[in-house]
């Protein structure tokens, strides 16, 4: 118990991430009695509020986000954990005052600092924490850093050097919330707890892999951040590449933080670098235009508040990678993600090769679909196998049957990724957090694409909101019989 942190500071406590994800997740952990008696939560924000106004705000945001009751002893206990700290991220005095607002040492010597703030502010917070001694005691306090970690390879290295100047690696938690999603962890179980699948999971049987993270939301009120970042930095370099590593990695020697991360890094290191002249064959970007989602007209990206005039920022990206190792050589991995697509749907789709012999000649060839394994990450958490069976009747025709399995039983509820990950931070388990070499290799792979786009400044393809993205995304496919799978 002594090892558990006793304070949890949220920088950016009134921001989007805190209100949409962190605070609801902390409350759910409270409901599940997982927060520990001693934990104090400090909300750090610029707003000129009192503890009472903070509590009011907290109740109002939770009301829209959580199902549990906002009354009674559990809720009272949750409210009582909070302190409100008005402060300016840039002002070292705010941090001095923060020290005074934390539970006193030595009774309480472990603190989590969660940087739920713009990446541009990471450095100043780290420096200020150091200036008032809050990076000490080494190995005790933890700092959680949100993605994107840097905006390219070089800036990521600079940020990492800064972190290591003031903190030990064990103190740093680089978060990628996709790894906290139940279905993503289930991928490890699916692959490594069954003998049925793993023997087929390689270049001999798999034709290609698709990873799609489609969102129907636009950029919401995040233009300040998003217009600089774009879909490649916001999603592909981190979330989608992480999903790819989990699909492609070898079994780790144990389910331990470094063993897992070693295997993921091997995958990233094996990705074939994309040559400059091949960028067009490997990456497509596009931007959403006016369109229609669920019967509602929505504006194009250019018309969103605070987006720069004629911005070329991509809201959709698709890319093709090859993993040049023994298992995957020659198998394309197609990744794509976009905002304002037809639906919210995240899907890992594995297409198998055709059998070597076509015995069932009665079935016209165009109806002989390959086998697929589809793993749906959201909104459903489920799996589908598509296999051939005989069509009832006099002829020897086949048809595709879908075997569906939900990962959740009817009375079970999916956890939010942040619940899992915040508990891991509190308990000091770093398995689902990103080591710097993973970040570094991921940037190495996408950097040439970013550099190329930076030079090509005349034009970006558009797609209507509510569609499945630009037709240009089809040009990535190696073969004519490959097409995108959009949803379950
Ligand atoms: C975030 C991105 O990391 O992930 C957002 O910054 C995106 O742009 C979000 O909407 C998607 O996560 P989830 O868990 O809502 O699918």
């Amino acid at each position: 118990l002594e090892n558990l942190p006793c304070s949890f500071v949220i920088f950016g406590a009134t921001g989007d991430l805190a209100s949409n994800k962190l605070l609801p997740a902390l409350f759910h952990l409270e409901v599940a009695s997982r927060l520990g008696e001693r934990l104090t939560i400090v909300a750090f924000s610029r707003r000129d509020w009192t503890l009472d106004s903070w509590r009011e705000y907290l109740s109002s945001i939770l009301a829209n986000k959580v199902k549990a009751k906002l009354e009674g002893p559990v809720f009272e206990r949750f409210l009582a954990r909070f302190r409100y700290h008005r402060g300016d991220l840039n002002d070292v005095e705010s941090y001095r005052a923060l020290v005074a607002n934390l539970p006193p040492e030595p009774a309480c010597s472990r603190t989590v600092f969660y940087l739920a703030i713009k990446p541009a502010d990471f450095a100043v917070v780290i420096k200020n924490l150091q200036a008032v001694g809050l990076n000490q005691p080494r190995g005790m306090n933890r700092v959680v850093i949100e993605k994107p970690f840097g905006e390219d390879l070089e800036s990521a290295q600079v940020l990492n050097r800064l972190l290591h100047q003031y903190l030990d690696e064990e103190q740093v938690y680089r978060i990628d919330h996709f790894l906290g999603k139940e279905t993503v962890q289930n991928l490890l179980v699916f692959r490594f707890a069954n003998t049925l699948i793993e023997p087929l999971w390689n270049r001999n049987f798999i034709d290609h892999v698709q990873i799609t993270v489609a969102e129907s939301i636009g950029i919401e009120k995040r233009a300040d951040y998003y217009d600089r970042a774009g879909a490649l930095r916001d999603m592909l370099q981190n979330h989608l590449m992480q999903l790819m590593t989990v699909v492609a990695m070898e079994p780790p020697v144990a389910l331990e933080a470094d063993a897992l991360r070693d295997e993921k890094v091997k995958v990233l290191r094996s990705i074939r670098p994309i040559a400059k002249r091949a960028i067009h064959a490997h990456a497509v970007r596009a931007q959403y235009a006016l369109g229609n989602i669920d019967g509602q007209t929505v504006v194009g990206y250019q018309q969103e508040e605070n987006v720069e005039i004629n911005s070329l920022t991509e809201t959709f990206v698709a890319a093709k990678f090859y993993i040049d190792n023994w298992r995957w050589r020659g198998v394309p991995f197609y990744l794509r993600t976009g905002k304002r697509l037809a639906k919210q749907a995240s899907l890992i789709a594995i297409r198998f090769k055709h059998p070597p012999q076509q015995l069932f000649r009665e079935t016209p060839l165009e109806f002989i679909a390959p086998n697929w394994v589809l793993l749906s990450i959201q909104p459903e958490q489920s799996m589908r196998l598509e296999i051939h069976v005989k069509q009832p009747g006099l002829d020897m025709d086949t048809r595709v049957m879908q075997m569906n399995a939900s990962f959740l039983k009817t009375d079970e509820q999916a956890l939010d990724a942040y619940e899992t990950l915040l508990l891991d931070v509190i308990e000091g388990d770093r398995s689902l957090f990103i080591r710097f070499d993973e970040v570094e290799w991921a940037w190495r792979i996408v950097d040439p694409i970013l550099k190329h786009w930076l030079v090509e400044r005349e034009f970006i393809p558009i797609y209507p909101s509510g569609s499945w993205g630009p037709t240009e995304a089809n040009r990535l496919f190696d073969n004519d019989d490959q097409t995108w799978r959009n949803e379950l």
Side-chain angles (χ1 to χ4, degrees):
L1 207 72
E2 274 80 73
N3 290 336
L4 295 180
C6 34
S7 33
F8 193 108
V9 180
I10 306 176
F11 291 105
T14 49
D16 282 348
L17 177 70
S19 58
N20 290 333
K21 301 286 189 181
L22 305 183
L23 296 164
L26 285 168
F27 180 58
H28 284 140
L29 290 173
E30 179 80 87
V31 173
S33 303
R34 296 299 289 268
L35 281 187
E37 264 170 43
R38 305 188 307 154
L39 189 75
T40 299
I41 307 175
V42 182
F44 185 116
S45 163
R46 235 180 349 208
R47 299 191 196 183
D48 190 6
W49 282 359
T50 60
L51 182 58
D52 280 341
S53 40
W54 164 259
R55 285 181 172 164
E56 241 169 70
Y57 166 80
L58 180 62
S59 310
S60 71
I61 55 163
L62 290 182
N64 302 323
K65 298 265 167 358
V66 302
K67 288 206 187 82
K69 275 198 310 208
L70 296 182
E71 56 187 22
V74 176
F75 186 58
E76 291 305 320
R77 192 169 69 212
F78 188 60
L79 284 185
R81 289 185 190 277
F82 280 89
R83 297 181 183 186
Y84 183 75
H85 185 79
R86 184 186 174 209
D88 175 350
L89 295 178
N90 294 300
D91 178 9
V92 70
E93 289 314 317
S94 296
Y95 297 74
R96 258 188 253 292
L98 176 65
V99 179
N101 216 346
L102 291 175
E105 287 191 57
C108 178
S109 59
R110 278 171 201 259
T111 304
V112 173
F113 298 101
Y114 200 115
L115 276 52
I117 51 179
K118 300 199 291 298
D121 289 332
F122 290 164
V124 70
V125 174
I126 302 292
K127 285 183 190 155
N128 280 333
L129 286 176
Q130 191 267 343
V132 302
L134 279 175
N135 59 331
Q136 303 286 355
R138 289 239 167 182
M140 305 268 264
N141 291 342
R142 296 169 194 160
V143 173
V144 188
I145 302 261
E146 274 284 339
K147 53 126 277 256
F149 193 92
E151 50 186 42
D152 56 13
L153 177 62
E154 207 186 320
S155 57
Q157 287 166 334
V158 170
L159 174 59
N160 204 54
R161 272 198 295 277
L162 177 95
L163 286 175
H164 281 171
Q165 197 179 338
Y166 303 128
L167 302 163
D168 290 342
E169 176 62 18
E170 298 77 74
Q171 295 179 266
V172 181
Y173 288 68
R174 297 177 197 82
I175 200 166
D176 183 317
H177 79 280
F178 266 56
L179 291 179
K181 292 186 191 271
E182 200 98 60
T183 334
V184 177
Q185 293 166 52
N186 203 2
L187 197 55
L188 289 174
V189 179
F190 178 64
R191 289 192 54 200
F192 301 132
N194 298 304
T195 46
L196 199 65
I197 294 297
E198 196 51 23
L200 307 180
W201 211 253
N202 59 54
R203 61 195 301 275
N204 298 325
F205 298 96
I206 290 180
D207 177 79
H208 74 272
V209 175
Q210 295 181 17
I211 300 177
T212 296
V213 178
E215 297 185 280
S216 56
I217 54 169
I219 57 158
E220 305 188 294
K221 301 260 171 261
R222 298 162 75 214
D224 279 351
Y225 152 74
Y226 197 91
D227 205 33
R228 281 187 56 131
L232 193 148
R233 291 190 179 93
D234 184 50
M235 299 286 289
L236 190 129
Q237 184 270 349
N238 33 73
H239 303 328
L240 278 86
M241 295 199 79
Q242 282 294 323
L243 293 180
M244 178 163 91
T245 60
V246 183
V247 172
M249 70 188 233
E250 297 300 317
V253 287
L255 220 47
E256 287 163 3
D258 275 323
L260 267 166
R261 298 186 293 184
D262 287 345
E263 296 307 329
K264 285 160 60 195
V265 168
K266 283 192 209 159
V267 173
L268 294 167
R269 287 186 62 171
S270 308
I271 294 178
R272 190 185 306 166
I274 303 177
K276 230 183 178 169
R277 61 174 191 291
I279 302 277
H280 277 281
H282 278 266
V284 169
R285 63 174 165 168
Q287 199 179 70
Y288 62 80
L290 178 86
N292 199 292
I293 292 186
D294 293 333
Q296 302 258 1
T297 304
V298 294
V299 299
Y301 180 71
Q302 300 278 343
Q303 285 71 52
E304 299 275 16
E305 215 176 294
N306 289 335
V307 165
E308 225 174 81
I309 297 172
N310 297 330
S311 164
L312 287 180
T313 300
E314 79 287 356
T315 60
F316 174 98
V317 56
K320 167 167 69 180
F321 299 109
Y322 290 99
I323 303 171
D324 283 343
N325 63 15
W326 196 278
R327 189 191 281 264
W328 294 114
R329 172 100 195 182
V331 178
F333 281 69
Y334 302 110
L335 275 50
R336 79 181 157 151
T337 180
K339 298 222 178 264
R340 287 285 189 230
L341 296 179
K343 283 212 163 131
Q344 187 215 20
S346 302
L347 188 69
I348 298 173
I350 318 280
R351 200 195 111 171
F352 286 81
K353 292 188 173 172
H354 287 288
Q357 188 187 3
Q358 293 296 341
L359 260 190
F360 305 100
R361 292 181 194 285
E362 298 301 306
T363 309
L365 208 60
E366 65 265 32
F367 293 129
I368 305 214
N371 295 135
W372 286 85
V373 170
L374 304 169
L375 297 155
S376 165
I377 299 171
Q378 56 199 26
E380 302 96 44
Q381 305 204 1
S382 62
M383 185 177 80
R384 172 182 295 174
L385 296 187
E386 291 185 352
I387 56 169
H388 282 271
V389 294
K390 184 184 170 298
Q391 197 152 288
L394 296 175
D395 297 322
M396 203 46 178
D397 285 344
T398 75
R399 69 174 174 207
V400 173
M401 200 185 83
Q402 296 177 335
M403 297 168 72
N404 293 311
S406 168
F407 292 139
L408 295 171
K409 295 185 181 164
T410 34
D411 57 343
E412 284 171 341
Q413 274 230 338
L415 285 183
D416 185 75
Y418 277 94
E419 292 171 45
T420 310
L421 295 175
L422 290 184
L423 191 63
D424 284 351
V425 173
I426 291 171
E427 294 183 346
D429 179 353
R430 298 192 305 142
S431 310
L432 297 178
F433 294 82
I434 314 289
R435 209 165 60 187
F436 184 63
D437 47 356
E438 296 179 69
V439 179
E440 205 171 20
W441 281 102
W443 279 124
R444 255 183 235 287
I445 296 154
V446 301
D447 247 21
I449 306 176
L450 286 171
K451 298 240 158 65
H452 192 80
W453 288 351
L454 210 60
V455 189
E456 276 194 348
R457 311 260 338 139
E458 312 78 54
F459 169 73
I460 181 162
I462 56 171
Y463 57 97
S465 290
S467 68
W468 282 101
T471 47
E472 282 87 347
N474 295 330
R475 76 164 185 242
L476 300 184
F477 289 121
D478 281 359
N479 293 320
D480 286 346
D481 74 336
Q482 296 175 340
T483 50
W484 291 107
R485 293 288 306 234
N486 290 334
E487 55 183 321
L488 271 196

